[in-house]
Amino acid sequence: MQSRIYLAVMCAWPCLAFADHLDIDAVTVEAPQTEHAVAAEQNTAQAAGDSASLVSDMFGLQLRRGGGVSSLPMMQGLADDRIRIKVDGMDLISSCANHMNPALSYIDPANIADVKVYRGLAPVSVGGDSIAGSIVVNSARPVFAVDDSLLTQASLNTFYRSNNDAFGVNASALVANQQVYLRYTGATVDANNAHAGGAFKPAGAAASDRGWLDADEIGSTAYRSTNHALALGFHLDNHLLEFKLGLQDIDKQGFVNQRMDMTGNQSEQYQLRHEARFDWGQWQTRLYHEHTRHSMNFGADKQFLYGDAPGMPMNTRGYTTGLNSQVDWLLNARDTLRLGLDVQRYRLNDDWPASGSGMMMGPGTFQNIHNGERDRNDVYAEWDAAWSQAWWTQIGLRLSEVETKAGTVQGYNPSTTPSMMMGYAMAYGIAASEFNAKDRSTRDTNVDTTWLAKYIPDEMQQYEFGYALKMRSPNLYERYTWAATNSMVTNMNNWVGDGNGYVGNASLKPEKAHTFQLTADWHDAERHDWQLKWTPFYRYIQDYIDAASCASAGYVNAGNDCPARTDGFSNLSLGNQSARMYGFDLNARKTLVADSAWGSLGAQLDINYVRGKNTTSHDDLYGVMPLNAKLALLHNYGGWKNRIQARMVDNKSHIQAIRHENETPGYMLLDLYSSYEWKKARLDVGLENVLDKFYFDPTGGAYLGQGATMGATVLQGLQVPGWGRSVNVALTLFY
């Protein structure tokens, strides 16, 4: 497969080198190390409620899929908490032992106006407590009338995706005068299970007490989600005051690579923002609060009854409160000083109610995380200097104090005498006593610094380079999940989708990443004809938090050790190790035909490569996308836009042994997209995986979409397959 990617690149390069003109407005460079996309240009039928899918089309990003609206963006081989994601300025935290509610799941694609991506060398002003970079997602900015008349805007969108029968409706409305504006956005989507491009398992009952699944049906991929957002703004002279309210209700979301499913996620997000502009600069302050009520159990494709236990309910409550304030001070024509304060308070309770009448899951409530706290206090300073038309630099420093705590816990029962049920030791008393006797409070002092430089020698070339030191403190699940006594409990704690069971390590130290990165950008003087952009990077991570044996993390005593397994998976813990990562992103664009009677024709090529190695264990890193490329032909003619795209992915042979990661063969997929826009309407049509090709998703994780997922009959070795052919249609009406 690797040779096919190289062949496609070599065949495409003569066209890219000698064609005429390409006008692409979906992605433009706005600031050093920043990629910017306008979400309104995206097809909502392709997103189908998953905001992360909008980000995946951006240069150098991929997805690690789980639930239908909860995919995780991957940046330079890293994902989840290692990327700082801000949604309308809010730093949101996943309140789930399986990370089923990541930050991007709290905003619907219909409510996204723009996305900014900072890969690797993220400025300290866009967030700390991460090591890969930052993604900043914003809804539409306030809009006010320019005269005494009333400004009104409205849109209605509906879409359908054939592969999983996803149907959704999005609506928005705006009314404003010169001082006040009010905007509402609502979105709902309902989807069934997805289907692969061919059979990957026998057809039959999903589980002993569940319905039928076809041989090509990907179990536990159905979902239903509803989001509402309300924004109210006031404009007076140089001041803007804005209040935002977000409401979410997800009443089902299957997770194909987890042993549990989401059976409910209700969230409210409140935000008050003040922005003031002065002759000397700008001052912005934001106060926000988010409350999540999250529940998990077995969905429609996973066995529900274990003995006399009707399911295994898990209930999580998360509270996030934050304050950030930033001043941009224009010192002179050359220098800008940026000063900021970030304060965040996070509270978490993760309880598993009793189920059944026995000692397996009863008689009391299992406290996975009890009175968990994660408080972060940051201050930062950033200096931008435009030395000349050719040179620009940025130096930033962020100091962060992160304090984590957890209260005393209890298991389903206080027994200290091991008893076996379903092959599991059901005595939790010893493990709980040992955890409660530990020091459960840690304070980290982290440093985040970024040194950037941009050099523009002439109109046809630009170079950006620099160094960043980034630190990330462990999340509460990494530090404080405590019971290693049986596989049932460890299986319930897994945020990577590999099918293994996990127990935390209270001794974990923060990760510390050193990143060196260069971006070389060659283009024509007007940036319309051609562009070649190359971004190599190298990252060394000290105290990298990776999977480790339970023995190495101290789980070796008779009362709280990790049992061996017979299903091919493992029970694991976490440890501080070291890692090395390097790779590159390559993007090339060229016009083939410009402004002909049939419109404009252009070509675009994206190549991504990342290699990751654990330098302590000499194992490969988990979930790294293999060499991949995307080659597209783009046609524009008035309001008509077309795209023919080939996605090529190499075979995945660098796999992490300790997590039993699966190898996957390479593949190539063909996609077709077309849209036509009138003055008051837009029609989008897409045909994805045109040839209905079967393939396995290299970052999809272990297939756990059906069966007795808490038993030993679901075996390791089957990777989550990719989706087969899908016809996608969306219609948007504007007023």
Side-chain angles (χ1 to χ4, degrees):
M1 185 64 205
Q2 184 169 335
S3 61
R4 279 188 281 172
I5 294 179
Y6 290 146
L7 179 61
V9 172
M10 295 304 295
C11 291
W13 189 249
C15 295
L16 294 171
F18 298 110
D20 296 324
H21 174 75
L22 176 63
D23 186 7
I24 300 175
D25 58 1
V27 179
T28 58
V29 176
E30 279 208 336
Q33 301 300 333
T34 308
E35 309 298 333
H36 178 269
V38 179
E41 294 296 319
Q42 305 290 341
N43 186 344
T44 52
Q46 269 60 260
D50 187 13
S51 293
S53 64
L54 298 181
V55 179
S56 68
D57 282 336
M58 299 183 70
F59 180 37
L61 297 185
Q62 297 85 35
L63 286 186
R64 184 178 294 174
R65 297 187 183 276
V69 298
S70 297
S71 298
L72 298 173
M74 290 199 306
M75 178 188 298
Q76 297 180 341
L78 300 173
D80 206 3
D81 285 351
R82 294 186 170 112
I83 301 175
R84 172 57 49 218
I85 298 179
K86 288 190 173 185
V87 177
D88 269 337
M90 299 182 293
D91 282 333
L92 301 179
I93 297 175
S94 182
S95 298
C96 173
N98 300 143
H99 279 203
M100 293 181 175
N101 45 22
L104 280 177
S105 69
Y106 286 106
I107 184 170
D108 191 87
N111 195 30
I112 296 177
D114 68 271
V115 181
K116 294 181 181 178
V117 174
Y118 301 82
R119 290 173 296 129
L121 306 182
V124 301
S125 58
V126 297
D129 201 25
S130 59
I131 62 174
S134 297
I135 299 175
V136 179
V137 176
N138 290 306
S139 56
R141 286 190 59 83
V143 176
F144 298 92
V146 296
D147 52 33
D148 292 335
S149 62
L150 195 65
L151 173 65
T152 59
Q153 297 176 357
S155 68
L156 178 66
N157 167 272
T158 183
F159 62 86
Y160 175 75
R161 186 182 185 115
S162 70
N163 184 287
N164 60 341
D165 288 325
F167 175 76
V169 177
N170 310 311
S172 67
L174 167 77
V175 59
N177 59 24
Q178 291 179 293
Q179 287 79 36
V180 183
Y181 95 99
L182 179 67
R183 176 187 285 113
Y184 165 79
T185 304
T188 183
V189 59
D190 192 347
N192 295 322
N193 281 341
H195 292 262
F200 65 98
K201 56 181 175 57
S208 61
D209 54 358
R210 294 304 197 186
W212 183 274
L213 290 183
D214 294 331
D216 67 343
E217 188 171 352
I218 308 173
S220 300
T221 51
Y223 60 94
R224 183 165 52 238
S225 173
T226 300
N227 288 275
H228 302 277
L230 185 69
L232 174 65
F234 303 90
H235 176 246
L236 179 62
D237 297 330
N238 59 326
H239 294 271
L240 171 67
L241 184 65
E242 186 177 29
F243 171 76
K244 290 185 176 182
L245 169 66
L247 302 174
Q248 180 182 87
D249 182 10
I250 301 177
D251 64 338
K252 71 170 183 179
Q253 184 177 195
F255 275 76
V256 65
N257 57 7
Q258 297 288 355
R259 298 177 185 273
M260 310 291 291
D261 296 310
M262 178 190 289
T263 55
N265 199 85
Q266 290 77 41
S267 171
E268 302 90 34
Q269 309 109 44
Y270 309 91
Q271 179 184 159
L272 183 64
R273 180 174 72 96
H274 173 254
E275 180 180 313
R277 298 179 181 272
F278 306 96
D279 292 339
W280 52 265
Q282 177 179 298
W283 182 18
Q284 182 172 257
T285 300
R286 176 182 284 105
L287 176 66
Y288 64 91
H289 176 75
E290 187 265 338
H291 175 210
T292 291
R293 298 169 305 286
H294 174 73
S295 58
M296 290 190 294
N297 211 319
F298 302 114
D301 300 327
K302 293 170 182 170
Q303 183 170 313
F304 187 73
L305 190 64
Y306 287 81
D308 71 338
M312 300 181 183
M314 303 169 66
N315 297 327
T316 308
R317 300 292 181 267
Y319 304 84
T320 306
T321 303
L323 169 69
N324 54 63
S325 185
Q326 179 176 297
V327 174
D328 293 63
W329 190 2
L330 306 177
L331 300 177
N332 50 54
R334 186 193 71 183
D335 302 309
T336 300
L337 180 63
R338 200 167 291 112
L339 302 174
L341 167 71
D342 273 350
V343 177
Q344 186 184 70
R345 299 289 179 265
Y346 177 62
R347 300 294 180 264
L348 176 70
N349 278 290
D350 191 338
D351 298 323
W352 308 347
S355 181
S357 59
M359 294 287 284
M360 183 173 70
M361 287 180 288
T365 296
F366 185 101
Q367 296 173 328
N368 193 38
I369 301 284
H370 182 58
N371 290 338
E373 299 181 13
R374 193 178 193 274
D375 295 340
R376 183 161 58 88
N377 302 300
D378 294 12
V379 293
Y380 60 87
E382 197 169 74
W383 170 41
D384 296 354
W387 300 95
S388 66
Q389 290 186 341
W391 280 100
W392 176 94
T393 61
Q394 182 184 85
I395 299 174
L397 177 65
R398 175 185 284 254
L399 300 178
S400 177
E401 181 183 78
V402 181
E403 184 175 6
T404 63
K405 296 179 181 179
T408 59
V409 297
Q410 66 179 32
Y412 284 118
N413 61 72
S415 174
T416 59
T417 303
S419 61
M420 301 299 290
M421 289 187 180
M422 295 177 57
Y424 300 146
M426 294 300 164
Y428 299 99
I430 295 176
S433 297
E434 290 185 350
F435 178 82
N436 293 337
K438 291 181 179 179
D439 182 2
R440 302 181 308 281
S441 176
T442 303
R443 179 173 296 175
D444 304 322
T445 300
N446 298 338
V447 177
D448 182 341
T449 183
T450 303
W451 299 65
L452 291 170
K454 179 172 67 175
Y455 175 54
I456 308 176
D458 56 49
E459 295 179 332
M460 299 183 66
Q461 52 186 323
Q462 176 176 307
Y463 304 93
E464 301 170 13
F465 50 91
Y467 161 79
L469 166 63
K470 303 288 183 180
M471 297 182 67
R472 179 189 78 93
S473 289
N475 63 48
L476 295 181
Y477 288 103
E478 289 172 321
R479 271 185 170 152
Y480 298 127
T481 49
W482 57 274
T485 55
N486 63 72
S487 299
M488 183 190 71
V489 172
T490 58
N491 279 343
M492 290 177 166
N493 291 294
N494 183 312
W495 44 92
V496 293
D498 61 5
N500 299 299
Y502 285 89
V503 61
N505 184 348
S507 300
L508 288 176
K509 295 182 288 186
E511 296 177 323
K512 182 186 296 183
H514 304 267
T515 301
F516 300 87
Q517 185 170 295
L518 164 70
T519 297
D521 186 348
W522 300 283
H523 48 266
D524 67 289
E526 289 76 26
R527 290 182 178 265
H528 289 307
D529 184 30
W530 62 274
Q531 182 181 34
L532 176 62
K533 188 174 182 181
W534 179 53
T535 304
F537 76 94
Y538 175 85
R539 177 178 293 117
Y540 177 72
I541 308 173
Q542 297 172 271
D543 293 319
Y544 181 75
I545 298 173
D546 208 350
S549 68
C550 288
S552 68
Y555 293 94
V556 294
N557 60 79
N560 197 23
D561 60 342
C562 292
R565 302 178 62 153
T566 61
D567 55 4
F569 296 101
S570 293
N571 291 318
L572 301 169
S573 186
L574 303 164
N576 286 117
Q577 302 173 54
S578 58
R580 180 182 64 243
M581 308 185 75
Y582 58 88
F584 68 87
D585 293 311
L586 180 68
N587 171 260
R589 305 178 185 191
K590 187 68 180 75
T591 295
L592 307 178
V593 178
D595 301 324
S596 72
W598 297 96
S600 300
L601 182 66
Q604 178 176 321
L605 174 67
D606 294 312
I607 303 176
N608 168 260
Y609 175 74
V610 177
R611 182 76 171 92
K613 196 79 173 178
N614 185 315
T615 56
T616 300
S617 65
H618 305 291
D619 202 354
D620 292 309
L621 298 186
Y622 178 78
V624 177
M625 186 75 169
L627 174 68
N628 60 95
K630 187 188 301 180
L631 178 63
L633 289 176
L634 302 97
H635 170 253
N636 295 335
Y637 179 64
W640 190 24
K641 295 182 180 180
N642 301 287
R643 181 184 183 98
I644 303 175
Q645 172 180 284
R647 290 178 283 157
M648 298 162 282
V649 178
D650 195 10
N651 61 291
K652 185 176 178 65
S653 57
H654 297 297
I655 56 174
Q656 190 169 55
I658 192 171
R659 283 189 163 113
H660 310 287
E661 189 175 10
N662 298 313
E663 293 189 3
T664 58
Y667 59 89
M668 181 165 63
L669 308 177
L670 179 65
D671 306 316
L672 305 177
Y673 301 105
S674 183
S675 69
Y676 192 86
E677 187 165 350
W678 298 269
K679 184 177 181 180
K680 296 292 185 179
R682 174 186 172 112
L683 177 66
D684 293 279
V685 179
L687 181 58
E688 295 184 313
N689 194 355
V690 174
L691 303 179
D692 202 25
K693 185 176 180 60
F694 178 80
Y695 66 101
F696 288 106
D697 184 350
T699 62
Y703 181 72
L704 302 169
Q706 62 188 90
T709 56
M710 283 298 173
T713 58
V714 177
L715 303 179
Q716 191 277 337
L718 183 58
Q719 184 79 359
V720 172
W723 287 24
R725 183 189 298 119
S726 184
V727 179
N728 309 328
V729 181
L731 175 65
T732 305
L733 304 177
F734 306 100
Y735 169 74

